[in-house]
Amino acid sequence: MNREDDSVAWPLLTRREALIGAGLGVGTAMFHLHLEPAAAQPSAGPSVRFDDQVGVSFTTNGRELDAVVDPRTSLLDHLREAQGLFGTKKGCDHGQCGACTVHLDGERVAACLTPVVQCAGRTVETVESLERDGELHVMQQAFIDHDALQCGYCTPGQIMAAIACVREGHAGSRDEIREYMSGNLCRCGAYENIVSAIEAARSKMEA
Amino acid sequence: MANFPNIERVDARAKVTGAPIYGADRTTPLHALLAVSTVTKGRLAAIDTARARAVPGIRLVATHEDLADLTSPGFLLSGGYGFQSFAPMLSDAIVHRGQPIALLVADTLEAAAEAASLVEAAYVEVPFSSKINSTGATIIPQAQSPLPQQIFRDTIAGDAAGAFGAAATTVDVTFHNPPQHQNPIELVATVAEWDGDDLTIHEGTQNSGALKFGIARMFGIEPDRVTVISPQVGGGFGQKNSLQMQTALVAWAARRLGAPVKMVVPRSQLFGNASFRPESRHRVRLGADAEGRLTAALYDVDAQSSRHDLFPLDYTNPAARLYGIPNFQGFQRIVQTDVQTPGYMRAPFEHMATFALDTAVDEMAAALGRDPVEYRMALDTDRDPVTGLPFSSRFLNACLSRGAEMFGWTGRNPEPRSMRAADGQLVGMGVGCGCYKAATAPAAASLRLDADGRVSVAVGVHEMGQGIRTALANAVAARLGVHPSAVSAVIGDTRGVPQHTTAGSWGTATAVPAVVEAADKLLEELGPDPLAAMARRGLESYETRIERRAPGQPEEPARALHVGRPAPWGPVYGEFVGFSYIAHFAEVLVEPSTCRIRVPRIVSVVDCGQVVSPRTAESQVKGGVVWGIGAALREATEVDERYGGFLNTDIAEYVIPVNADIGRNEVAFINEPDPRISASGVKGLGEVVMTGVAAAIANATWHATGRRLRDLPIRPEHLL
Ligand code: FES
Ligand code: FES
């Protein structure tokens, strides 16, 4: 693969095969793929065009939404650029850092690896959903109390992962928390305090 | 000085709720991406953008043929503002792999990405050198380089060669460190917006001042036309300490298209397009006399730079200040290779300098049959061996004795391979010391008190997770007798006061005394009850402004603050020399068959002067220890000499520590104010915390296994 390709979050053919191969229910989505003849360069294959937008309906933070999206768009880019929900962060765009962790039907997923069309009919919750009537979620408060953050950039993803980690029953001990939180990188190195925050929030969440 | 209260991080609530506080957290109508060079050196023979231009939604495709009207911002370390002097896309020259060759702007990110993938380039390639021992790499002794010699000369105390020749016991060891990349989790990103002739840039940067003046230079416009806003940085670690390559490109596109443009640089491109810790090699020779006294140290360093810039080396200065070795000779050589210019990454020189020197000292202690802690304590000094000046303060021995007690050092069997855990793993215990210069910088500060009791300060500093907003609030609150939550700060924002680069661990020692001085001025002008005084005079608000220089700093170098140039001062202050110190005690477990190394426990005791924000300071120590563990056991950017550039350009393959890698870290502070470095008694913390960690881990690994490993990172395969 040449270096230019690295900047493409989703190689087009792979994406198309992924979407079609997975037989995803995308509701009213209509794909119009224009296969064009190869360009002059002998090395170039047919280029696939996504001229047409796709309709997709899903719920974000309790709000129902009928969105029209580019079928290549990730849930992460859709949340940030289309919905203006900037709490979900891009740290790698490759499923490697966890900064984009959100809940899809209650389970943690990497929003950068989730095509938005895959969310059709489903429920997405982001960090913005946690505060209710000015009151923080116990996990948010525990992150503050234990100073489980520094620059704060990984923090929304850590918190969404941490809540899921407790709900999954993977927060039984410090060692278990460390293991099940290892998909969320923190370059500032707040790990020890993150474990302490999750330990403290776990008992309150289970109470 | 009274201890400061342990308040919660003042911006923690914004951070746990996902508030839009970072540069890229805003909506723009246009999105930009880059296509980058797939070769390392030569020139662009042809670039075909026809297919990119045909992508629906594409608004702009630009190459060097379009951008020639910009000029280089110059290199930060030689009178400029950029992380390197080479600005891409101003000509057809290719000087490092991964440099931008085309700029794509589209209505959507997806269209920009598609277009970037369709740019076709042909190159004329020439031979290149990637590593410090590659054919064609150019070696330049720093003392014979064009760099200013009063700063970058060799580090000399006494007669090291003579003392080494006369030594009864010697150690002669060589260490190596690969290139490493900072990898903050926030990607480098720019949002640029023009309003007529006025440009506003939102970007997470440690140096909004350099962006302002550097962009003005590149565009040939008045600096007053440029505003840079960076209230929160999602981690910097040195990567964001200067003008990056994309900022001007985004601003150029926004002007051309008449609309705001955003670019979030993909991480894979940052490995080839931003600074990094250069590859380096270190030889340490130590000599001890018949009584075991360390009399001589000779320290030779080779470290990588680019062809187009000389990145100045400063390994030997901290090494000479770690212990009282009377005869010291530090000699550094810059090795020019075909890469982007390397730069500062947390404890840029001090991490490797203290790893090399402290590990060599550990080997000397072992050769002499001395206890590693006792031997280090015998090397204490209250005078700087290089200048003969006193240290402003130095509590390294207090760090060692306190740490030894917290760690339970007396339970260590001195014999290597002598200790086992219940499950059969080899147990190793090691100590490592580190130091970091206590530099400070000039600062301007303003402080406004409102009749409702709210305080707003503006000062030249950036918040990147170190907790400076919390330290400012705590210091101002203590001075004015208000609650810390009443204090807000305008920082990383060129609309306030001049912004200096926040790096080199001088942020707190620079910004805290400045706001405290502004508060004192307000108290002087309004009296001890300023709100009552304001009520009497019918004032809604009252503002003071101060400007100060580093201790003993002349006017001329301090003026650089006003043109966005670095103006730090120290650690040699004329009458004294200032350093922060730390001692780490590490316990490692080595699994005997796989040789997997774990670090379940580290004790760290720090002498950083006065602690202004206890909670965030402790977090900063823990973070620095995580960095030390990463540097000791994980991180390396791989180079394939056939292709140049870097290979493992993502954070699955560039391995940084994850939660499961990190155990317990007990932290203590000496907390002795150093009023000579700064009026607030602060010395600096953010980088000294990483120094000495790798030495402690390597020394513990030797204790566990009997093997001395001197090339970082230490990996299981090196023990098998
Ligand atoms: S941005 Fe999705 S995992 Fe890193
Ligand atoms: S708090 Fe900075 S990356 Fe986690």
Side-chain angles (χ1 to χ4, degrees):
Chain A
M1 187 157 83
N2 71 23
R3 277 296 286 260
E4 284 95 319
D5 288 341
D6 289 1
S7 63
V8 185
W10 296 92
L12 299 180
L13 289 170
T14 313
R15 166 68 76 90
R16 172 174 159 259
E17 284 158 7
L19 291 176
I20 294 168
L24 297 166
V26 288
T28 57
M30 300 286 285
F31 289 94
H32 299 288
L33 304 181
H34 304 295
L35 293 175
E36 297 208 330
Q41 294 82 352
S43 62
S47 76
V48 181
R49 281 261 174 89
F50 289 84
D51 289 352
D52 295 302
Q53 305 278 296
V54 176
V56 55
S57 303
F58 62 104
T59 304
T60 311
N61 298 343
R63 204 164 59 93
E64 278 178 39
L65 195 87
D66 298 314
V68 177
V69 302
D70 183 312
R72 296 166 296 185
T73 306
S74 69
L75 175 60
L76 172 61
D77 287 332
H78 175 76
L79 288 170
R80 291 182 58 83
E81 308 303 339
Q83 294 208 35
L85 290 170
F86 292 109
T88 308
K89 303 300 183 197
K90 182 180 286 188
C92 69
D93 220 13
H94 285 50
Q96 299 169 340
C97 76
C100 65
T101 305
V102 297
H103 294 174
L104 182 60
D105 288 342
E107 302 214 357
R108 50 173 154 170
V109 297
C112 69
L113 291 188
T114 307
V116 65
V117 292
Q118 200 177 331
C119 300
R122 304 172 79 178
T123 298
V124 176
E125 281 166 305
T126 72
V127 70
E128 286 92 346
S129 71
L130 297 178
E131 190 180 345
R132 297 272 157 84
D133 305 322
E135 195 161 325
L136 297 179
H137 189 283
V138 293
M139 190 63 77
Q140 291 173 307
Q141 189 59 50
F143 267 62
I144 296 177
D145 295 343
H146 293 267
D147 204 38
L149 58 124
Q150 292 179 39
C151 79
Y153 196 81
C154 74
T155 308
Q158 299 278 2
I159 289 174
M160 297 309 285
I163 292 169
C165 180
V166 172
R167 286 197 199 136
E168 292 158 11
H170 288 144
S173 67
R174 290 187 73 91
D175 276 350
E176 197 183 14
I177 294 170
R178 289 163 62 210
E179 199 63 37
Y180 280 89
M181 287 298 292
S182 281
N184 287 76
L185 303 182
C186 175
R187 188 52 157 163
C188 296
Y191 293 128
E192 196 183 351
N193 291 358
I194 290 170
V195 175
S196 299
I198 297 172
E199 257 195 322
R202 177 198 59 210
S203 37
K204 290 187 186 141
M205 280 174 71
E206 286 166 354
Chain B
M1 189 176 296
N3 280 342
F4 284 93
N6 186 3
I7 62 169
E8 81 183 29
R9 191 179 288 269
V10 297
D11 44 10
R13 191 178 177 104
K15 289 176 175 179
V16 301
T17 53
I21 53 179
Y22 305 95
D25 293 348
R26 59 202 73 246
T27 305
T28 54
L30 296 169
H31 299 267
L33 283 172
L34 299 165
V36 301
S37 168
T38 56
V39 305
T40 292
K41 192 173 187 179
R43 64 177 184 83
L44 267 174
I47 182 159
D48 181 356
T49 57
R51 293 173 70 211
R53 286 175 205 278
V55 170
I58 194 82
R59 296 288 158 181
L60 176 71
V61 178
T63 69
H64 64 280
E65 283 160 10
D66 308 293
L67 275 140
D69 56 333
L70 297 180
T71 51
S72 162
F75 177 38
L76 184 75
L77 276 301
S78 63
Y81 300 96
F83 91 88
Q84 62 177 353
S85 61
F86 177 80
M89 291 180 57
L90 305 190
S91 76
D92 62 3
I94 302 293
V95 306
H96 60 87
R97 191 179 172 91
Q99 82 179 49
I101 57 167
L103 167 67
L104 305 300
V105 187
D107 295 336
T108 65
L109 204 43
E110 294 73 24
E114 183 182 355
S117 74
L118 297 174
V119 172
E120 304 268 346
Y123 306 90
V124 176
E125 292 186 68
V126 300
F128 53 84
S129 320
S130 305
K131 295 185 170 182
I132 55 179
N133 59 1
S134 295
T135 314
T138 309
I139 298 174
I140 304 172
Q142 180 156 282
Q144 286 154 39
S145 75
L147 292 167
Q149 285 306 310
Q150 66 280 20
I151 310 173
F152 296 113
R153 61 174 176 248
D154 295 337
T155 305
I156 305 288
D159 171 18
F164 185 75
T169 310
T170 60
V171 163
D172 183 348
V173 281
T174 300
F175 305 85
H176 180 265
N177 199 53
Q180 295 170 324
H181 280 71
Q182 299 93 339
N183 279 305
I185 303 295
E186 181 197 33
L187 298 166
V188 168
T190 301
V191 173
E193 182 172 3
W194 291 84
D195 178 5
D197 290 335
D198 293 323
L199 171 65
T200 300
I201 290 167
H202 298 271
E203 176 171 334
T205 174
Q206 303 169 234
N207 198 348
S208 50
L211 264 59
K212 176 186 173 83
F213 287 89
I215 286 293
R217 181 187 284 185
M218 291 188 80
F219 282 84
I221 60 177
E222 283 301 312
D224 285 352
R225 295 268 174 225
V226 185
T227 297
V228 181
I229 302 173
S230 178
Q232 290 281 353
V233 187
F237 312 116
Q239 185 186 60
K240 298 170 183 165
N241 71 3
S242 46
L243 180 59
Q244 306 281 335
M245 54 82 208
Q246 86 292 342
T247 312
L249 302 178
V250 181
W252 184 87
R255 186 170 68 178
R256 172 67 72 93
L257 294 166
V261 176
K262 166 157 45 176
M263 184 190 295
V264 178
V265 184
R267 189 168 295 278
S268 61
Q269 293 186 348
L270 289 173
F271 278 83
N273 259 319
S275 78
F276 62 101
R277 191 194 302 280
E279 183 193 2
S280 61
R281 186 170 47 220
H282 307 251
R283 181 182 184 197
V284 179
R285 282 167 287 170
L286 297 179
D289 65 15
E291 283 74 50
R293 277 188 300 259
L294 208 47
T295 51
L298 294 99
Y299 178 26
D300 304 325
V301 187
D302 285 348
Q304 176 183 31
S305 192
S306 66
R307 292 282 179 198
H308 41 280
D309 294 311
L310 292 174
F311 176 56
L313 308 181
D314 198 22
Y315 295 93
T316 55
N317 270 313
R321 274 62 181 233
L322 187 56
Y323 297 116
I325 306 174
N327 302 291
F328 188 99
Q329 179 186 304
F331 175 61
Q332 307 177 99
R333 302 193 303 178
I334 299 170
V335 185
Q336 291 191 291
T337 60
D338 296 292
V339 287
Q340 74 269 26
T341 304
Y344 298 96
M345 173 166 158
R346 197 172 199 172
F349 310 109
E350 299 77 5
H351 154 59
M352 271 313 286
T354 60
F355 171 64
L357 193 84
D358 192 76
T359 306
V361 165
D362 207 74
E363 298 196 34
M364 178 62 89
L368 296 169
R370 302 269 295 265
D371 174 75
V373 175
E374 174 271 323
Y375 191 64
R376 282 171 174 78
M377 290 181 71
L379 301 176
D380 195 23
T381 175
D382 57 7
R383 285 202 169 257
D384 168 25
V386 180
T387 60
L389 294 168
F391 284 116
S392 56
S393 66
R394 177 182 157 108
F395 295 98
L396 180 57
N397 276 14
C399 295
L400 280 164
S401 55
R402 178 119 175 247
E405 198 184 308
M406 288 166 66
F407 186 76
W409 184 256
T410 49
R412 174 183 183 267
N413 182 335
E415 209 41 51
R417 291 188 72 89
S418 62
M419 297 178 74
R420 293 257 178 176
D423 63 0
Q425 293 194 76
L426 297 160
V427 176
M429 294 182 175
V431 60
C433 294
C435 64
Y436 194 94
K437 66 179 187 285
T440 57
S446 69
L447 183 147
R448 193 188 73 228
L449 177 63
D450 290 336
D452 63 4
R454 298 201 163 273
V455 184
S456 172
V457 296
V459 64
V461 75
H462 302 76
E463 172 67 66
M464 46 220 201
Q466 79 276 44
I468 190 64
R469 288 181 177 276
T470 310
L472 291 171
N474 222 10
V476 170
R479 214 57 165 198
L480 295 180
V482 298
H483 192 269
S485 63
V487 182
S488 60
V490 178
I491 58 177
D493 189 328
T494 61
R495 292 170 300 184
V497 296
Q499 294 293 317
H500 187 266
T501 178
T502 305
S505 292
W506 58 64
T508 305
T510 299
V512 165
V515 296
V516 168
E517 190 176 321
D520 285 346
K521 188 168 172 221
L522 179 121
L523 292 173
E524 206 178 286
E525 290 168 4
L526 292 180
D529 188 348
L531 285 175
M534 283 167 60
R536 275 198 305 277
R537 288 154 70 171
L539 296 174
E540 278 303 306
S541 70
Y542 190 87
E543 189 162 337
T544 57
R545 194 187 156 101
I546 64 99
E547 188 162 335
R548 68 200 309 278
R549 302 197 288 267
Q553 185 175 32
E555 208 176 321
E556 177 50 33
R559 254 188 237 132
L561 169 67
H562 291 273
V563 291
R565 295 268 315 130
W569 203 243
V572 177
Y573 285 91
E575 289 168 10
F576 53 87
V577 175
F579 274 80
S580 289
Y581 290 93
I582 195 161
H584 300 280
F585 292 78
E587 179 182 323
V588 303
L589 293 174
V590 182
E591 207 284 319
S593 54
T594 63
C595 292
R596 186 187 73 169
I597 306 168
R598 311 282 291 169
V599 189
R601 191 166 71 99
I602 291 188
V603 167
S604 309
V605 186
V606 199
D607 162 25
C608 61
Q610 174 76 46
V611 175
V612 183
S613 170
R615 192 174 306 188
T616 59
E618 183 174 329
S619 292
Q620 207 177 17
V621 180
K622 289 175 187 275
V625 168
V626 172
W627 270 67
I629 293 170
L633 301 176
R634 294 282 184 274
E635 295 179 37
T637 319
E638 308 290 347
V639 176
D640 184 330
E641 286 186 80
R642 292 169 301 173
Y643 303 108
F646 299 106
L647 282 174
N648 48 336
T649 58
D650 62 49
I651 42 176
E653 299 199 28
Y654 181 93
V655 187
I656 68 170
V658 302
N659 205 322
D661 294 325
I662 302 305
R664 283 284 189 186
N665 181 205
E666 288 168 64
V667 176
F669 293 96
I670 300 297
N671 208 11
E672 281 287 345
D674 184 334
R676 298 168 89 178
I677 296 294
S678 71
S680 303
V682 175
K683 284 205 283 192
L685 180 62
E687 292 171 272
V688 75
V689 293
M690 184 189 175
T691 68
V693 178
I697 291 171
N699 294 335
T701 304
W702 166 74
H703 181 237
T705 63
R707 299 275 305 275
R708 288 284 182 190
L709 294 169
R710 305 185 188 94
D711 293 349
L712 296 183
I714 296 169
R715 287 181 171 161
E717 59 265 34
H718 305 141
L719 283 169
L720 283 169

